[in-house]
Amino acid sequence: VHLTLQKGMQVSDLSSLCAAAAALCHTSPDVLEQSVREAVRDCWENSRDILEKLAGHRLSQVPEPVQFIQALALQITRL
């Protein structure tokens, strides 16, 4: 999310975003990508109402990780 807000990076490809973020977090892109996928799945399974509020609409399926990051970035810019 930091990269999208502070660096103006477009969020369209999870792999390239994770590669850039991994360098900042001193981890591997694969570990970061898996963590994002797990966060999305956990939100879907345990806090779907919050996830839908974040997205701004009802969700009929689990959002893609890129959609999740976009929704987070949008909400942060609205604060």
Side-chain angles (χ1 to χ4, degrees):
V1 173
H2 168 77
L3 289 172
T4 64
L5 296 174
Q6 299 296 322
K7 306 290 184 189
M9 189 171 185
Q10 293 296 317
V11 183
S12 58
D13 175 38
L14 184 62
S15 295
S16 61
L17 180 64
C18 286
L24 294 173
C25 298
H26 307 291
T27 189
S28 74
D30 291 339
V31 168
L32 193 55
E33 186 170 342
Q34 184 59 37
S35 295
V36 171
R37 291 182 187 284
E38 288 175 14
V40 173
R41 187 184 65 244
D42 286 348
C43 287
W44 180 257
E45 292 173 358
N46 301 310
S47 305
R48 191 177 304 182
D49 57 327
I50 295 171
L51 187 58
E52 289 178 341
K53 191 173 190 176
L54 186 71
H57 57 86
R58 285 188 94 37
L59 299 169
S60 60
Q61 61 187 26
V62 179
E64 292 294 320
V66 167
Q67 294 169 318
F68 179 76
I69 293 169
Q70 289 169 335
L72 282 174
L74 181 61
Q75 289 300 320
I76 290 170
T77 61
R78 291 180 177 168
L79 295 178

